[in-house]
Amino acid sequence: MSRVREIDEAASQRPAAPRTVAELAAQQKALRAQKRAERAAQAPRRPRQAPPAGPTTDRRLGTTGETATRAGQSPAAALARDARFTLREGLSRVTEDKGLKGCGRSAIAGGVSVVMNGPVAHLAGVATCGKVHLCPVCAAKIRAARAEEIDTVTAAWQAAGHGLAMMTLTLRHYRRMPLGTTRKRERGGLVAVQHDAWITAFGNRAGKMWQRLQADHGVLGYVRVWECTQGENGWHPHFHVLLFTDRPWSVDRAEAFEEAARARWVRSVEKAGGYRPNDRGCKVDVPRPKDAQQFARYLFKNQDGKARFERWAPGDEMARADMKRGRKDSRAPFEVAEGAAAGLAEDVPLWHEYEYAAHGIRAMYWSNGLRARLAVLVDLDERTDDEIAAEEVGGQGVALIPAETWYRSVLRHRGRALALLKAAEASGSPGVKALVASWGLQWGRDVLDPPEPTNGA
């Protein structure tokens, strides 16, 4: 009976399962605060010493120089890279996607190399998944390249005297509605309604009326981007559509196009089986006249939900979904992933639902003929997502980890792959040697010197 009583008491001390996103966020915050307090209680405080006079260099692991950055990296860049690696490692334990499970973990040759490219370390010889919707590491590389391309082409387009506008398309949805999938024979849910509505409103089944609307308003092409968030009202998939026009639009022209486009979107959503969108279901914005040559100050929603002009490049708004955070009570996919990687009961099935829904959905779609028009103005990036994710970066090899050691002594221990990069960035080969020695590995047998300078991925 005493054992049963102990179990009951332990169960009563566990926090109740969160019912809302707000409760979930509060519970996560409380758990993080509790862990910080426990670590502080275990580690004795050391008295602070006055810094020596004159110029000094911070020698702490992971910092260097006056700004306390890792080997010349900015604090934000270093923390973001570390967070992406940690999240990918956590997701490998809960994901149902085989590509994501092996990304950054599967050795594609006889070993894995630690490579320095300037102040930043990389791992060479590991597989990459190229999953722009699912992998935090691959998404950062792919979306950074796509954002740079969008910024380049929009600047060249405006310099040639053309115009730009942004159309946002949303759906009405409720918590009970599944995100769904666009897979054949299983098509259903919000993403199926979204894509079927697009096809009949603006896609290949839009008909001559859509073609006439584009011609009347001088729309020469568009770039469509898919995004999705999750909140108290369930999943919220939406499209951002960057319109390339022959001439800059006035506010009146944008409103006229918005009215016609909204009518098409409303009819198509209802035909696809969705709820009738409200007036915000289709929104078209243009730069202010005085900002016509600085689209980076375009009107976008800020993270607090207030509309204002921000120094936010169009490439970032269109392509950098990996950097966005949810507004108010909503969460971006990688915020859901953080909870799933931590094992939160509500977030694991949510992440699995998102993984299933995102399969086959294009992150970015260019209308027919637009890239040919833009190629006359600028050089375009013709790489695929897989090619960007797996692109090799030249550098100086620091260490070679044979596959057997990699699987036995690195991957089996959480955080060791990232620790190798941090050690290399902090002090190069000596730092890596000291680290692997602390793991009980022998240099020259378990970990080897790199034969020659190599390329990293």
Side-chain angles (χ1 to χ4, degrees), residues 69-106:
T69 61
R70 184 184 307 135
Q73 297 183 77
S74 69
L79 289 174
R81 193 280 306 274
D82 296 353
R84 290 192 294 267
F85 267 68
T86 301
L87 180 56
R88 181 178 64 176
E89 185 175 37
L91 286 175
S92 69
R93 292 167 168 79
V94 299
T95 182
E96 295 180 341
D97 186 272
K98 293 182 179 180
L100 177 57
K101 188 179 292 291
C103 185
R105 299 173 62 82
S106 299

mmCIF file of all heavy atoms in Angstrom, residues 69-106:
data_model
loop_
_atom_site.group_PDB
_atom_site.id
_atom_site.type_symbol
_atom_site.label_atom_id
_atom_site.label_comp_id
_atom_site.label_asym_id
_atom_site.label_seq_id
_atom_site.Cartn_x
_atom_site.Cartn_y
_atom_site.Cartn_z
ATOM 1 N N THR A 69 31.562 37.318 -28.496
ATOM 2 C CA THR A 69 30.956 36.478 -29.508
ATOM 3 C C THR A 69 31.855 35.308 -29.790
ATOM 4 O O THR A 69 33.050 35.338 -29.540
ATOM 5 C CB THR A 69 30.734 37.255 -30.817
ATOM 6 O OG1 THR A 69 31.992 37.699 -31.300
ATOM 7 C CG2 THR A 69 29.826 38.451 -30.583
ATOM 8 N N ARG A 70 31.269 34.233 -30.328
ATOM 9 C CA ARG A 70 32.038 33.036 -30.612
ATOM 10 C C ARG A 70 32.821 33.214 -31.901
ATOM 11 O O ARG A 70 32.263 33.228 -32.985
ATOM 12 C CB ARG A 70 31.099 31.831 -30.737
ATOM 13 C CG ARG A 70 31.816 30.508 -30.930
ATOM 14 C CD ARG A 70 30.841 29.385 -31.154
ATOM 15 N NE ARG A 70 29.859 29.352 -30.096
ATOM 16 C CZ ARG A 70 28.558 29.199 -30.309
ATOM 17 N NH1 ARG A 70 28.097 29.066 -31.521
ATOM 18 N NH2 ARG A 70 27.719 29.182 -29.298
ATOM 19 N N ALA A 71 34.122 33.363 -31.773
ATOM 20 C CA ALA A 71 35.034 33.429 -32.914
ATOM 21 C C ALA A 71 34.586 34.438 -33.964
ATOM 22 O O ALA A 71 34.633 34.178 -35.150
ATOM 23 C CB ALA A 71 35.174 32.041 -33.547
ATOM 24 N N GLY A 72 34.131 35.595 -33.520
ATOM 25 C CA GLY A 72 33.761 36.627 -34.464
ATOM 26 C C GLY A 72 32.314 36.629 -34.879
ATOM 27 O O GLY A 72 31.860 37.536 -35.564
ATOM 28 N N GLN A 73 31.528 35.609 -34.515
ATOM 29 C CA GLN A 73 30.117 35.606 -34.840
ATOM 30 C C GLN A 73 29.362 36.564 -33.918
ATOM 31 O O GLN A 73 29.741 36.770 -32.778
ATOM 32 C CB GLN A 73 29.531 34.200 -34.662
ATOM 33 C CG GLN A 73 30.120 33.146 -35.570
ATOM 34 C CD GLN A 73 29.427 31.820 -35.361
ATOM 35 O OE1 GLN A 73 28.321 31.613 -35.826
ATOM 36 N NE2 GLN A 73 30.071 30.916 -34.657
ATOM 37 N N SER A 74 28.263 37.105 -34.427
ATOM 38 C CA SER A 74 27.420 37.919 -33.568
ATOM 39 C C SER A 74 26.717 37.010 -32.570
ATOM 40 O O SER A 74 26.472 35.832 -32.851
ATOM 41 C CB SER A 74 26.392 38.672 -34.402
ATOM 42 O OG SER A 74 25.449 37.769 -34.951
ATOM 43 N N PRO A 75 26.375 37.516 -31.379
ATOM 44 C CA PRO A 75 25.677 36.684 -30.400
ATOM 45 C C PRO A 75 24.377 36.106 -30.960
ATOM 46 O O PRO A 75 24.050 34.949 -30.712
ATOM 47 C CB PRO A 75 25.415 37.650 -29.241
ATOM 48 C CG PRO A 75 26.453 38.714 -29.385
ATOM 49 C CD PRO A 75 26.685 38.859 -30.860
ATOM 50 N N ALA A 76 23.627 36.909 -31.721
ATOM 51 C CA ALA A 76 22.359 36.432 -32.263
ATOM 52 C C ALA A 76 22.579 35.285 -33.248
ATOM 53 O O ALA A 76 21.861 34.286 -33.224
ATOM 54 C CB ALA A 76 21.616 37.576 -32.953
ATOM 55 N N ALA A 77 23.592 35.413 -34.118
ATOM 56 C CA ALA A 77 23.856 34.359 -35.101
ATOM 57 C C ALA A 77 24.301 33.069 -34.425
ATOM 58 O O ALA A 77 23.884 31.975 -34.806
ATOM 59 C CB ALA A 77 24.915 34.821 -36.095
ATOM 60 N N ALA A 78 25.154 33.198 -33.417
ATOM 61 C CA ALA A 78 25.641 32.011 -32.711
ATOM 62 C C ALA A 78 24.502 31.308 -31.984
ATOM 63 O O ALA A 78 24.364 30.073 -32.050
ATOM 64 C CB ALA A 78 26.739 32.409 -31.726
ATOM 65 N N LEU A 79 23.663 32.074 -31.291
ATOM 66 C CA LEU A 79 22.557 31.477 -30.554
ATOM 67 C C LEU A 79 21.544 30.848 -31.501
ATOM 68 O O LEU A 79 20.990 29.778 -31.214
ATOM 69 C CB LEU A 79 21.884 32.530 -29.677
ATOM 70 C CG LEU A 79 22.688 33.014 -28.469
ATOM 71 C CD1 LEU A 79 21.957 34.157 -27.779
ATOM 72 C CD2 LEU A 79 22.931 31.880 -27.486
ATOM 73 N N ALA A 80 21.284 31.506 -32.636
ATOM 74 C CA ALA A 80 20.323 30.968 -33.593
ATOM 75 C C ALA A 80 20.818 29.656 -34.181
ATOM 76 O O ALA A 80 20.040 28.699 -34.319
ATOM 77 C CB ALA A 80 20.068 31.985 -34.703
ATOM 78 N N ARG A 81 22.097 29.597 -34.531
ATOM 79 C CA ARG A 81 22.646 28.338 -35.063
ATOM 80 C C ARG A 81 22.556 27.232 -34.024
ATOM 81 O O ARG A 81 22.138 26.096 -34.323
ATOM 82 C CB ARG A 81 24.091 28.571 -35.496
ATOM 83 C CG ARG A 81 24.715 27.463 -36.358
ATOM 84 C CD ARG A 81 25.207 26.237 -35.584
ATOM 85 N NE ARG A 81 26.115 26.557 -34.517
ATOM 86 C CZ ARG A 81 27.443 26.702 -34.666
ATOM 87 N NH1 ARG A 81 27.992 26.556 -35.844
ATOM 88 N NH2 ARG A 81 28.195 26.973 -33.601
ATOM 89 N N ASP A 82 22.927 27.527 -32.794
ATOM 90 C CA ASP A 82 22.869 26.522 -31.736
ATOM 91 C C ASP A 82 21.444 26.035 -31.516
ATOM 92 O O ASP A 82 21.201 24.838 -31.328
ATOM 93 C CB ASP A 82 23.431 27.090 -30.434
ATOM 94 C CG ASP A 82 24.916 27.429 -30.546
ATOM 95 O OD1 ASP A 82 25.521 27.089 -31.582
ATOM 96 O OD2 ASP A 82 25.459 28.033 -29.601
ATOM 97 N N ALA A 83 20.483 26.969 -31.539
ATOM 98 C CA ALA A 83 19.084 26.593 -31.334
ATOM 99 C C ALA A 83 18.591 25.694 -32.463
ATOM 100 O O ALA A 83 17.852 24.735 -32.219
ATOM 101 C CB ALA A 83 18.218 27.846 -31.230
ATOM 102 N N ARG A 84 18.997 25.986 -33.700
ATOM 103 C CA ARG A 84 18.567 25.155 -34.830
ATOM 104 C C ARG A 84 19.131 23.744 -34.716
ATOM 105 O O ARG A 84 18.419 22.759 -34.948
ATOM 106 C CB ARG A 84 19.000 25.797 -36.156
ATOM 107 C CG ARG A 84 18.249 27.072 -36.499
ATOM 108 C CD ARG A 84 18.507 27.473 -37.936
ATOM 109 N NE ARG A 84 19.892 27.845 -38.165
ATOM 110 C CZ ARG A 84 20.358 29.073 -38.098
ATOM 111 N NH1 ARG A 84 19.546 30.070 -37.779
ATOM 112 N NH2 ARG A 84 21.629 29.333 -38.344
ATOM 113 N N PHE A 85 20.401 23.630 -34.354
ATOM 114 C CA PHE A 85 21.002 22.307 -34.206
ATOM 115 C C PHE A 85 20.334 21.525 -33.073
ATOM 116 O O PHE A 85 20.056 20.326 -33.206
ATOM 117 C CB PHE A 85 22.508 22.443 -33.936
ATOM 118 C CG PHE A 85 23.350 22.381 -35.181
ATOM 119 C CD1 PHE A 85 23.294 23.402 -36.112
ATOM 120 C CD2 PHE A 85 24.192 21.319 -35.426
ATOM 121 C CE1 PHE A 85 24.063 23.364 -37.267
ATOM 122 C CE2 PHE A 85 24.966 21.269 -36.573
ATOM 123 C CZ PHE A 85 24.897 22.291 -37.498
ATOM 124 N N THR A 86 20.075 22.199 -31.970
ATOM 125 C CA THR A 86 19.454 21.533 -30.832
ATOM 126 C C THR A 86 18.043 21.078 -31.172
ATOM 127 O O THR A 86 17.628 19.970 -30.818
ATOM 128 C CB THR A 86 19.426 22.477 -29.621
ATOM 129 O OG1 THR A 86 20.773 22.862 -29.297
ATOM 130 C CG2 THR A 86 18.805 21.793 -28.410
ATOM 131 N N LEU A 87 17.291 21.933 -31.876
ATOM 132 C CA LEU A 87 15.929 21.568 -32.254
ATOM 133 C C LEU A 87 15.920 20.407 -33.233
ATOM 134 O O LEU A 87 15.100 19.489 -33.105
ATOM 135 C CB LEU A 87 15.218 22.780 -32.855
ATOM 136 C CG LEU A 87 13.776 22.559 -33.314
ATOM 137 C CD1 LEU A 87 12.915 22.027 -32.180
ATOM 138 C CD2 LEU A 87 13.193 23.854 -33.880
ATOM 139 N N ARG A 88 16.801 20.430 -34.217
ATOM 140 C CA ARG A 88 16.854 19.314 -35.169
ATOM 141 C C ARG A 88 17.183 18.012 -34.464
ATOM 142 O O ARG A 88 16.598 16.959 -34.767
ATOM 143 C CB ARG A 88 17.885 19.590 -36.268
ATOM 144 C CG ARG A 88 17.967 18.477 -37.310
ATOM 145 C CD ARG A 88 18.950 18.791 -38.402
ATOM 146 N NE ARG A 88 20.315 18.890 -37.917
ATOM 147 C CZ ARG A 88 21.373 19.093 -38.715
ATOM 148 N NH1 ARG A 88 21.195 19.246 -40.025
ATOM 149 N NH2 ARG A 88 22.590 19.178 -38.217
ATOM 150 N N GLU A 89 18.096 18.057 -33.509
ATOM 151 C CA GLU A 89 18.443 16.846 -32.767
ATOM 152 C C GLU A 89 17.254 16.348 -31.958
ATOM 153 O O GLU A 89 16.996 15.144 -31.893
ATOM 154 C CB GLU A 89 19.629 17.130 -31.843
ATOM 155 C CG GLU A 89 20.138 15.890 -31.123
ATOM 156 C CD GLU A 89 21.376 16.175 -30.303
ATOM 157 O OE1 GLU A 89 21.452 17.278 -29.722
ATOM 158 O OE2 GLU A 89 22.256 15.300 -30.238
ATOM 159 N N GLY A 90 16.511 17.271 -31.354
ATOM 160 C CA GLY A 90 15.333 16.866 -30.603
ATOM 161 C C GLY A 90 14.253 16.289 -31.491
ATOM 162 O O GLY A 90 13.590 15.304 -31.133
ATOM 163 N N LEU A 91 14.062 16.885 -32.678
ATOM 164 C CA LEU A 91 13.045 16.395 -33.593
ATOM 165 C C LEU A 91 13.382 15.012 -34.142
ATOM 166 O O LEU A 91 12.477 14.250 -34.492
ATOM 167 C CB LEU A 91 12.867 17.376 -34.758
ATOM 168 C CG LEU A 91 12.125 18.670 -34.448
ATOM 169 C CD1 LEU A 91 12.125 19.583 -35.664
ATOM 170 C CD2 LEU A 91 10.697 18.386 -34.000
ATOM 171 N N SER A 92 14.658 14.685 -34.233
ATOM 172 C CA SER A 92 15.037 13.367 -34.765
ATOM 173 C C SER A 92 14.483 12.236 -33.914
ATOM 174 O O SER A 92 14.339 11.107 -34.394
ATOM 175 C CB SER A 92 16.569 13.255 -34.851
ATOM 176 O OG SER A 92 17.148 13.212 -33.557
ATOM 177 N N ARG A 93 14.134 12.536 -32.674
ATOM 178 C CA ARG A 93 13.614 11.513 -31.771
ATOM 179 C C ARG A 93 12.098 11.395 -31.806
ATOM 180 O O ARG A 93 11.543 10.434 -31.270
ATOM 181 C CB ARG A 93 14.077 11.805 -30.335
ATOM 182 C CG ARG A 93 15.573 11.626 -30.138
ATOM 183 C CD ARG A 93 16.046 12.228 -28.823
ATOM 184 N NE ARG A 93 17.413 11.820 -28.496
ATOM 185 C CZ ARG A 93 18.494 12.355 -29.028
ATOM 186 N NH1 ARG A 93 18.381 13.330 -29.908
ATOM 187 N NH2 ARG A 93 19.692 11.924 -28.691
ATOM 188 N N VAL A 94 11.418 12.374 -32.410
ATOM 189 C CA VAL A 94 9.950 12.318 -32.435
ATOM 190 C C VAL A 94 9.378 12.359 -33.843
ATOM 191 O O VAL A 94 8.202 12.051 -34.031
ATOM 192 C CB VAL A 94 9.352 13.490 -31.615
ATOM 193 C CG1 VAL A 94 9.779 13.407 -30.170
ATOM 194 C CG2 VAL A 94 9.724 14.837 -32.216
ATOM 195 N N THR A 95 10.178 12.736 -34.842
ATOM 196 C CA THR A 95 9.646 12.898 -36.185
ATOM 197 C C THR A 95 9.247 11.564 -36.803
ATOM 198 O O THR A 95 9.805 10.504 -36.476
ATOM 199 C CB THR A 95 10.683 13.588 -37.091
ATOM 200 O OG1 THR A 95 10.112 13.774 -38.394
ATOM 201 C CG2 THR A 95 11.946 12.740 -37.225
ATOM 202 N N GLU A 96 8.280 11.639 -37.705
ATOM 203 C CA GLU A 96 7.883 10.476 -38.493
ATOM 204 C C GLU A 96 8.387 10.589 -39.926
ATOM 205 O O GLU A 96 8.054 9.757 -40.768
ATOM 206 C CB GLU A 96 6.362 10.341 -38.477
ATOM 207 C CG GLU A 96 5.799 10.038 -37.098
ATOM 208 C CD GLU A 96 4.287 9.912 -37.082
ATOM 209 O OE1 GLU A 96 3.644 10.415 -38.042
ATOM 210 O OE2 GLU A 96 3.740 9.318 -36.143
ATOM 211 N N ASP A 97 9.180 11.617 -40.203
ATOM 212 C CA ASP A 97 9.745 11.821 -41.530
ATOM 213 C C ASP A 97 11.160 11.233 -41.563
ATOM 214 O O ASP A 97 12.030 11.634 -40.784
ATOM 215 C CB ASP A 97 9.790 13.318 -41.866
ATOM 216 C CG ASP A 97 10.224 13.581 -43.282
ATOM 217 O OD1 ASP A 97 11.441 13.692 -43.518
ATOM 218 O OD2 ASP A 97 9.352 13.674 -44.163
ATOM 219 N N LYS A 98 11.405 10.306 -42.456
ATOM 220 C CA LYS A 98 12.700 9.622 -42.502
ATOM 221 C C LYS A 98 13.828 10.575 -42.875
ATOM 222 O O LYS A 98 14.940 10.447 -42.357
ATOM 223 C CB LYS A 98 12.637 8.456 -43.503
ATOM 224 C CG LYS A 98 11.718 7.324 -43.081
ATOM 225 C CD LYS A 98 11.738 6.194 -44.100
ATOM 226 C CE LYS A 98 10.842 5.043 -43.658
ATOM 227 N NZ LYS A 98 10.840 3.926 -44.653
ATOM 228 N N GLY A 99 13.558 11.500 -43.789
ATOM 229 C CA GLY A 99 14.609 12.439 -44.177
ATOM 230 C C GLY A 99 15.050 13.306 -43.027
ATOM 231 O O GLY A 99 16.250 13.500 -42.792
ATOM 232 N N LEU A 100 14.098 13.854 -42.281
ATOM 233 C CA LEU A 100 14.435 14.694 -41.133
ATOM 234 C C LEU A 100 15.126 13.888 -40.048
ATOM 235 O O LEU A 100 16.035 14.388 -39.377
ATOM 236 C CB LEU A 100 13.163 15.339 -40.583
ATOM 237 C CG LEU A 100 13.308 16.209 -39.336
ATOM 238 C CD1 LEU A 100 14.304 17.338 -39.564
ATOM 239 C CD2 LEU A 100 11.951 16.752 -38.906
ATOM 240 N N LYS A 101 14.733 12.647 -39.871
ATOM 241 C CA LYS A 101 15.341 11.806 -38.830
ATOM 242 C C LYS A 101 16.838 11.620 -39.051
ATOM 243 O O LYS A 101 17.619 11.546 -38.096
ATOM 244 C CB LYS A 101 14.636 10.446 -38.789
ATOM 245 C CG LYS A 101 15.064 9.554 -37.617
ATOM 246 C CD LYS A 101 14.313 8.249 -37.637
ATOM 247 C CE LYS A 101 12.847 8.454 -37.325
ATOM 248 N NZ LYS A 101 12.646 8.860 -35.900
ATOM 249 N N GLY A 102 17.267 11.557 -40.309
ATOM 250 C CA GLY A 102 18.681 11.326 -40.586
ATOM 251 C C GLY A 102 19.466 12.573 -40.928
ATOM 252 O O GLY A 102 20.683 12.498 -41.127
ATOM 253 N N CYS A 103 18.794 13.728 -40.992
ATOM 254 C CA CYS A 103 19.483 14.962 -41.388
ATOM 255 C C CYS A 103 20.524 15.369 -40.345
ATOM 256 O O CYS A 103 20.219 15.481 -39.151
ATOM 257 C CB CYS A 103 18.469 16.092 -41.566
ATOM 258 S SG CYS A 103 19.194 17.618 -42.201
ATOM 259 N N GLY A 104 21.760 15.569 -40.801
ATOM 260 C CA GLY A 104 22.836 15.961 -39.911
ATOM 261 C C GLY A 104 23.336 14.842 -39.035
ATOM 262 O O GLY A 104 24.200 15.069 -38.167
ATOM 263 N N ARG A 105 22.835 13.627 -39.254
ATOM 264 C CA ARG A 105 23.202 12.487 -38.402
ATOM 265 C C ARG A 105 23.807 11.336 -39.206
ATOM 266 O O ARG A 105 24.784 10.734 -38.780
ATOM 267 C CB ARG A 105 21.969 11.988 -37.649
ATOM 268 C CG ARG A 105 21.357 13.027 -36.718
ATOM 269 C CD ARG A 105 20.042 12.550 -36.121
ATOM 270 N NE ARG A 105 20.199 11.364 -35.297
ATOM 271 C CZ ARG A 105 20.589 11.384 -34.034
ATOM 272 N NH1 ARG A 105 20.890 12.526 -33.446
ATOM 273 N NH2 ARG A 105 20.692 10.255 -33.345
ATOM 274 N N SER A 106 23.236 11.044 -40.361
ATOM 275 C CA SER A 106 23.721 9.912 -41.157
ATOM 276 C C SER A 106 25.004 10.287 -41.879
ATOM 277 O O SER A 106 25.057 11.284 -42.606
ATOM 278 C CB SER A 106 22.655 9.496 -42.179
ATOM 279 O OG SER A 106 21.466 9.099 -41.531
#
